[in-house]
C-alpha cells in the first residue's frame, strides 16, 4: 500500500510530525502525531477546579459591586442631604467637596451650588428691598399720624393737615409703585418683548420731559447719530428706565441749561447717553448711584435709578455713570440692538 500524502496547512506542518508504522501482516500505515486539543475552558474543565474558581469569581464580583455601589450612592446621599437642608430654609447649604470631583457627580454638585447661590442672592435682595420699603414707609406714615393728631388738637389747621396727609399718601403710593416695578424688572421672565423704534421712543419721552422742564426754562436736546435703530425690549420697562434718568437730570440741571439725550451704535450695541449741566456727583456717590434707596435728598426715595439699572440688566444691557469733564453727570445705557 503506497503512502498517501495529506494536504496540511503551514501551521499544521509545524505542529504535526509523521511516522510510518506497519501491522503484523506487514501493511504500512502513515501515522500523524500532534498535540491533543486543549479543553474548552482550560483549567476550569479539570475535575475539582471549576467549582472553586466559580465561587471565587462570584465573591470577587460581589465585592466589586459593593464598592462600586458605595462609590456611586455615597455622593448621591450627600447631595440628597444638602437638598433637604436647602428645602428646609438653610440657604447656606452647599455641596462642598463634591463640587471638586471631575466626574458627572461633580458637575451636578457645581450646578447645584450655582442654583443655591442664585436662590440665596434672590432671597437676600428680597429681604433687603423689604427692609428698605418698610423704612421708607415709616416716615410718611409717622407724618400722617402727626397730621391727624394736630388736626384733632387744632381744628383751625384741618385744611393744612389734610394737604399734608394727601402729600404723604402720594409719597406712599409712589414708593409702592416703584418697588413693584423694581421687583418686576428684576424678574427677567416677566418681561414682554416687542420691537421698538428707539428714535420714536426717545422723542416721546423727551416731549414729556420738555413739558415738565418748561417752568425752569430747561431745554431737552435729542440727537440720534444712527437713525432707524430698533431693539427688542419690554416697552414699559425701557420707557420707565429712560424717564427716570431724564427726570433725574432735569432735577439737578441749573435753570436755563440744556439736558442732552443722544443715541448711537457701538459694536452692535445701542448706547443711550443722558447728560445734564449740573454739579455732578462725588466719586464716593458714583459707585452707589444705582443702589435701591440710596439718595442724598430727604424728600427723594432713591428708587428711580435703581429701577433703571434693573430694567437695563433685565434686557442684557449695562448702565454706568460718570462726571463729564465740562461739568454735569453723564448716564450711559447700553443695550443689544437688533
Amino acid at each position: 500500500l503506497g503512502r498517501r500524502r495529506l494536504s496540511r496547512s503551514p501551521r499544521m506542518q509545524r505542529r504535526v510530525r509523521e511516522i510510518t508504522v506497519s501491522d503484523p501482516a506487514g501493511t504500512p500505515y502513515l501515522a500523524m502525531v500532534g498535540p491533543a486539543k486543549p479543553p474548552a475552558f482550560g483549567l476550569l474543565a479539570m475535575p475539582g477546579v471549576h467549582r472553586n474558581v466559580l465561587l471565587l469569581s462570584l465573591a470577587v464580583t460581589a465585592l466589586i459591586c459593593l464598592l462600586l455601589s458605595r462609590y456611586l450612592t455615597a455622593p448621591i446621599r450627600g447631595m440628597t442631604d444638602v437638598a433637604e437642608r436647602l428645602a428646609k430654609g438653610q440657604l447656606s447649604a452647599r455641596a462642598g467637596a463634591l463640587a471638586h470631583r471631575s466626574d458627572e457627580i461633580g458637575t451636578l454638585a457645581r450646578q447645584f451650588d450655582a442654583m443655591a447661590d442664585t436662590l440665596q442672592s434672590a432671597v437676600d435682595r428680597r429681604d433687603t428691598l423689604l427692609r428698605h420699603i418698610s423704612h421708607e414707609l415709616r416716615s410718611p406714615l409717622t407724618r400722617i399720624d402727626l397730621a391727624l393728631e394736630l388736626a384733632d388738637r387744632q381744628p383751625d389747621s384741618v385744611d393744612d393737615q389734610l394737604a399734608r396727609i394727601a402729600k404723604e399718601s402720594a409719597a406712599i403710593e409712589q414708593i409702592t409703585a416703584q418697588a413693584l416695578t423694581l421687583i418686576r424688572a428684576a424678574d427677567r421672565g416677566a418681561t414682554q418683548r416687542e420691537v421698538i423704534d428707539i428714535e420714536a421712543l426717545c422723542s416721546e419721552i423727551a416731549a414729556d420731559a420738555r413739558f415738565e422742564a418748561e417752568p425752569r426754562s430747561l431745554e431737552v436736546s435729542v440727537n440720534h447719530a444712527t437713525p432707524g435703530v430698533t431693539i427688542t425690549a419690554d416697552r414699559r420697562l425701557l420707557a420707565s428706565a429712560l424717564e427716570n434718568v431724564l427726570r433725574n437730570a432735569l432735577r439737578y440741571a441749573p435753570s436755563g441749561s440744556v439736558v442732552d439725550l443722544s443715541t448711537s451704535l457701538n459694536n452692535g450695541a445701542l448706547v443711550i447717553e443722558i447728560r445734564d449741566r449740573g454739579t455732578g456727583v462725588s466719586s464716593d456717590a458714583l459707585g452707589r448711584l444705582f443702589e435701591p434707596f440710596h439718595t442724598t435728598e430727604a424728600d427723594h426715595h432713591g428708587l428711580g435709578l435703581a429701577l433703571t439699572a434693573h430694567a437695563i440688566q433685565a434686557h442684557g444691557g449695562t448702565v454706568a455713570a460718570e462726571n463729564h469733564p465740562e461739568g454735569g453727570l453723564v448716564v450711559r445705557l447700553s443695550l443689544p440692538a437688533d
Side-chain angles (χ1 to χ4, degrees):
L1 180 66
R3 296 175 55 182
R4 184 172 57 182
R5 307 292 296 183
L6 299 177
S7 61
R8 292 167 290 161
S9 64
R11 182 178 179 183
M12 182 179 293
Q13 292 177 3
R14 290 194 301 267
R15 300 181 60 186
V16 178
R17 64 188 182 90
E18 303 175 354
I19 60 174
T20 302
V21 295
S22 302
D23 59 6
T27 304
Y29 293 92
L30 177 64
M32 301 177 65
V33 182
K37 183 179 180 181
F41 296 98
L43 293 176
L44 292 178
M46 298 178 63
V49 175
H50 65 282
R51 182 177 303 172
N52 295 333
V53 174
L54 180 62
L55 293 176
L56 179 62
S57 301
L58 291 176
V60 172
T61 303
L63 179 61
I64 293 175
C65 292
L66 178 62
L67 294 177
L68 184 60
S69 64
R70 287 183 176 272
Y71 176 79
L72 294 176
T73 59
I76 294 177
R77 287 197 300 269
M79 289 290 299
T80 302
D81 294 339
V82 175
E84 290 178 352
R85 289 165 51 198
L86 188 66
K88 292 178 180 178
Q90 301 180 20
L91 299 182
S92 60
R94 297 294 185 275
L98 294 176
H100 300 294
R101 296 169 61 111
S102 58
D103 54 6
E104 288 79 2
I105 294 177
T107 302
L108 176 62
R110 288 188 292 273
Q111 292 178 349
F112 180 89
D113 285 350
M115 178 197 67
D117 291 338
T118 302
L119 179 61
Q120 185 173 22
S121 177
V123 172
D124 290 343
R125 288 197 304 270
R126 182 204 63 185
D127 293 343
T128 302
L129 182 60
L130 290 176
R131 285 196 301 269
H132 284 315
I133 291 175
S134 62
H135 175 75
E136 292 296 324
L137 291 178
R138 190 178 296 116
S139 297
L141 289 174
T142 301
R143 289 191 287 267
I144 288 176
D145 290 338
L146 291 175
L148 291 173
E149 184 177 352
L150 288 174
D152 184 58
R153 292 181 180 181
Q154 303 173 3
D156 296 339
S157 65
V158 171
D159 292 340
D160 294 337
Q161 304 310 324
L162 288 176
R164 165 61 69 176
I165 292 173
K167 178 181 178 181
E168 300 301 337
S169 298
I172 292 175
E173 182 180 1
Q174 181 183 9
I175 292 173
T176 54
Q178 288 185 333
L180 290 174
T181 307
L182 184 62
I183 294 174
R184 182 174 180 267
D187 183 9
R188 298 189 180 189
T191 57
Q192 299 178 354
R193 307 294 181 97
E194 61 180 286
V195 178
I196 300 173
D197 185 339
I198 195 64
E199 183 176 354
L201 179 63
C202 289
S203 299
E204 178 183 340
I205 294 174
D208 294 337
R210 291 189 185 99
F211 179 77
E212 298 180 14
E214 186 176 353
R216 296 177 53 205
S217 300
L218 291 172
E219 180 182 351
V220 179
S221 174
V222 180
N223 179 34
H224 300 287
T226 311
V229 177
T230 61
I231 61 173
T232 302
D234 187 312
R235 183 180 182 85
R236 188 173 67 171
L237 274 182
L238 184 58
S240 179
L242 294 176
E243 286 176 354
N244 287 327
V245 178
L246 193 54
R247 286 178 177 174
N248 190 73
L250 294 175
R251 183 181 299 112
Y252 293 103
S255 299
S257 63
V258 178
V259 174
D260 295 322
L261 190 158
S262 62
T263 64
S264 61
L265 284 176
N266 184 14
N267 295 327
L270 170 67
V271 180
I272 305 175
E273 291 188 351
I274 298 177
R275 177 202 170 190
D276 61 59
R277 263 72 172 181
T279 58
V281 179
S282 65
S283 57
D284 295 336
L286 274 177
R288 303 185 58 193
L289 199 60
F290 299 100
E291 294 182 6
F293 297 99
H294 174 70
T295 180
T296 57
E297 299 181 31
D299 59 344
H300 189 56
H301 310 297
L303 274 175
L305 293 182
L307 173 60
T308 295
H310 279 282
I312 298 302
Q313 292 168 3
H315 290 86
T318 60
V319 58
E322 62 181 12
N323 290 315
H324 196 276
E326 299 179 3
L329 181 71
V330 179
V331 177
R332 185 175 297 106
L333 313 177
S334 297
L335 290 164
D338 291 346

